[in-house]
Amino acid sequence: MKPAGLRISSGELKGRRLDVPDGIRPTEQKVREALFSIWTDRLRGAMFLDLFAGSGAVGIEALSRGALSATSVEKERPVLAALKRNAAMLSPGAMRVLASPVEAALDTLRRESAAFDLIFADPPYSWIPDASFFAGCRALLQPAGWMAVEHSARVTLPEEIEDLVRTDSRRYGESALSFFAPPVSEDHFHVHL
């Protein structure tokens, strides 16, 4: 079922309607707003990676709220067409679209020595992120970077995996967000969510 309309909720592009293809489950507005409320102080000037990007709503919202650039990864051809149409509303070069499976995209970005301040992943709820997925993300994360995974609220992701620590998990109806960051050494100040 096609959503009744997906709009950017805040920032420079507030109110812009996005093209959402049939057959995808876009991140709900309340979940997007919660994510960006938690990351509000980290967005300005951030390099943002959006995995399983779908319509690109999360990456576009990040840009609207002050991220410097966004890379969106999506493999499904009909979904990619909508993602590219949505990305066309942005300034040239603001969003890079990688048309490939996430695993291949993580390898490509690692070979390019890409590094991100914030990584968001919204895989199909039937797919549970494993150690190799987290390792691929960790390799791209800046030392002070953060990662969030949207998943079914019925699933609990690990407390520690591949040199990442789950710092928080929040439930929003059937959806949940789990946040991960590299371990904080004793000589660094830890910011609690």
Side-chain angles (χ1 to χ4, degrees):
M1 184 173 152
K2 195 164 187 166
L6 187 60
R7 292 180 183 270
I8 299 301
S9 63
S10 187
E12 293 177 11
L13 301 171
K14 181 177 180 175
R16 295 289 287 271
R17 187 178 296 277
L18 299 179
D19 186 1
V20 179
D22 291 325
I24 69 165
R25 174 196 45 79
T27 297
E28 293 180 55
Q29 183 170 336
K30 66 181 177 183
V31 177
R32 287 195 331 264
E33 288 178 359
L35 172 72
F36 291 120
S37 173
I38 291 165
W39 277 354
T40 191
D41 294 336
R42 298 176 173 277
L43 274 170
R44 179 108 355 241
M47 305 291 279
F48 193 92
L49 177 59
D50 185 9
L51 301 172
F52 306 94
S55 67
V58 174
I60 292 170
E61 184 96 32
L63 290 165
S64 181
R65 291 173 179 247
L68 181 64
S69 71
T71 299
S72 294
V73 177
E74 178 56 57
K75 70 174 183 176
E76 301 298 332
R77 192 172 292 272
V79 178
L80 266 168
L83 171 56
K84 288 177 180 177
R85 284 191 298 274
N86 291 333
M89 80 169 81
L90 303 168
S91 302
M95 177 178 278
R96 177 183 182 189
V97 175
L98 287 179
S100 76
V102 164
E103 298 81 3
L106 292 174
D107 286 343
T108 297
L109 292 166
R110 184 182 44 77
R111 283 193 308 274
E112 294 174 358
S113 299
F116 297 92
D117 303 294
L118 299 169
I119 298 176
F120 175 73
D122 182 13
Y125 283 5
S126 60
W127 184 82
I128 307 300
D130 59 11
S132 66
F133 170 76
F134 280 102
C137 292
R138 176 65 181 99
L140 300 175
L141 203 57
Q142 295 278 17
W146 286 66
M147 176 179 177
V149 180
E150 183 178 344
H151 56 92
S152 167
R154 296 185 195 99
V155 172
T156 302
L157 296 182
E159 288 188 18
E160 291 187 38
I161 188 164
E162 298 299 323
D163 197 33
L164 289 169
V165 176
R166 181 166 41 94
T167 59
D168 197 3
S169 193
R170 300 188 184 193
R171 184 177 175 160
Y172 306 93
E174 292 298 309
S175 300
L177 288 174
S178 290
F179 294 85
F180 294 87
V184 178
S185 62
E186 291 179 17
D187 60 338
H188 285 85
F189 176 72
H190 182 66
V191 177
H192 294 280
L193 294 177

